[in-house]
Amino acid sequence: MTVTEKKIHARGVLTTIQLVLSEGHQCNFNDPNNLRYIYRHVDKVSFGISDAASIIEGPHVPHLRQWLRRPSLQLLYRSTRDGDTFADFMGKVGSARRLLFAVKNNSNKFGVFFDGPLNQPNNPTSIQMTTGDLFLFSLSGSFPQPTQIHPPQDRQRVQVAGRDGAVATANPGLGSGKITMARGNLWLGHSKSATPSPSILSCCQWIDKGITPPGFTGRKWNAVHNLLADSRYFTADVVEVYQVMRGPLPAIEPDALRPLPVNFPKPLSASALSSRERTCPRGRAARQCN
């Protein structure tokens, strides 16, 4: 393997161990047979990235596994495959929940994870707002490595326009769009006019300097806002939407892992740590302690 491939598999093994522990299983991770079993599992379990050109590539997978704590993605929409109109987009995404949006603009790759669905209003000229857990991320172009970006709680929401509607900016004269996430941190189908663009690929993006993690190397919009794309307004090369598949690790069998040896040291309780047996030495010094 190359050094990069080794790092990817090592991170996958580590994440799998963390997931096994989070499910309440205990086993001996010092046992080579257990590590071999976990390695084979990581090697054969796909993250859901197809062989076709994708925004998400191998080196991104360990980071996404760690952020999402779920083993796989299911591609719902790809603009180059499904079309770039709002109808094309919503026809593929539908009412699915736990959505990962990935956007490519030249060498910049970034996106948003939203735990809820893209609810559309009953009125085709209205808009619908949905709140839920949300974070932004950069895969490449703005940080030395893939990085999460956490907006404040009041920004963790999306707004979706009806078929004939538009999500307007705070100042309606400054633009509109079909979908906005994190109160404007990412717009799809954006236009500088009151009429949204017919293409989902027409985007607007920015993040507050205050929520930008350390190590930012991307472009700045102004003194208080940074960009994850080449500019604030841009046409995306590709937009993809994945559904994050939740549930137990597929194909992992904890019973196949060798358990901890009988004599494996067990952690002491808080009371045991402060007991006389724990704190008093043995031998002559013990008599002095007593």
Side-chain angles (χ1 to χ4, degrees):
M1 287 187 181
T2 65
V3 173
T4 299
E5 289 173 330
K6 287 181 180 179
K7 288 181 179 180
I8 291 171
H9 278 75
R11 287 172 181 165
V13 168
L14 178 60
T15 301
T16 303
I17 289 174
Q18 292 170 338
L19 289 168
V20 169
L21 291 173
S22 72
E23 295 290 334
H25 303 296
Q26 292 187 353
C27 65
N28 183 7
F29 293 116
N30 290 325
D31 189 316
N33 289 318
N34 283 347
L35 293 178
R36 289 190 190 97
Y37 178 89
I38 293 171
Y39 171 83
R40 287 195 297 268
H41 170 71
V42 171
D43 193 49
K44 72 181 179 181
V45 174
S46 170
F47 193 59
I49 306 304
S50 68
D51 294 333
S54 171
I55 295 174
I56 299 172
E57 298 177 309
H60 306 144
V61 169
H63 299 276
L64 289 168
R65 283 185 188 273
Q66 183 178 5
W67 300 341
L68 301 169
R69 299 191 63 77
R70 291 297 180 266
S72 63
L73 298 177
Q74 180 180 350
L75 179 66
L76 300 180
Y77 168 83
R78 176 178 287 145
S79 57
T80 53
R81 181 193 69 182
D82 302 315
D84 66 343
T85 70
F86 180 65
D88 294 332
F89 180 93
M90 294 304 301
K92 290 294 184 179
V93 175
S95 60
R97 303 178 63 90
R98 300 183 297 276
L99 300 172
L100 184 82
F101 300 82
V103 179
K104 181 179 182 296
N105 171 230
N106 296 328
S107 61
N108 305 292
K109 297 181 178 182
F110 57 92
V112 174
F113 168 75
F114 180 58
D115 199 36
L118 297 182
N119 291 326
Q120 283 189 277
N122 294 326
N123 185 337
T125 63
S126 185
I127 62 173
Q128 178 73 42
M129 182 178 73
T130 306
T131 59
D133 292 337
L134 179 151
F135 65 80
L136 297 95
F137 59 87
S138 168
L139 296 178
S140 65
S142 298
F143 295 89
Q145 64 179 10
T147 301
Q148 270 184 299
I149 304 162
H150 298 281
Q153 192 69 35
D154 64 349
R155 284 190 173 274
Q156 296 187 24
R157 67 192 194 188
V158 300
Q159 289 179 286
V160 180
R163 183 186 67 246
D164 303 318
V167 182
T169 59
N171 183 342
L174 296 180
S176 63
K178 296 301 291 186
I179 300 172
T180 180
M181 306 174 211
R183 284 182 60 191
N185 285 161
L186 178 62
W187 294 74
L188 302 180
H190 182 269
S191 167
K192 293 183 181 180
S193 72
T195 303
S197 169
S199 173
I200 287 295
L201 301 179
S202 181
C203 301
C204 173
Q205 187 281 319
W206 56 271
I207 54 173
D208 292 318
K209 186 177 180 179
I211 66 168
T212 304
F216 180 74
T217 59
R219 296 177 180 270
K220 296 182 179 181
W221 170 26
N222 54 32
V224 294
H225 297 103
N226 293 322
L227 302 173
L228 300 179
D230 280 346
S231 61
R232 182 186 180 192
Y233 306 106
F234 65 95
T235 300
D237 302 319
V238 186
V239 171
E240 295 173 344
V241 182
Y242 294 84
Q243 183 176 27
V244 179
M245 306 303 291
R246 295 198 167 183
L249 275 172
I252 191 95
E253 297 291 341
D255 292 341
L257 297 172
R258 297 176 183 232
L260 292 170
V262 175
N263 61 348
F264 192 84
K266 292 181 172 57
L268 294 173
S269 64
S271 59
L273 287 172
S274 60
S275 69
R276 296 176 67 84
E277 179 182 354
R278 174 68 176 170
T279 57
C280 289
R282 297 181 179 180
R284 184 170 60 185
R287 290 193 293 273
Q288 295 173 353
C289 180
N290 293 327

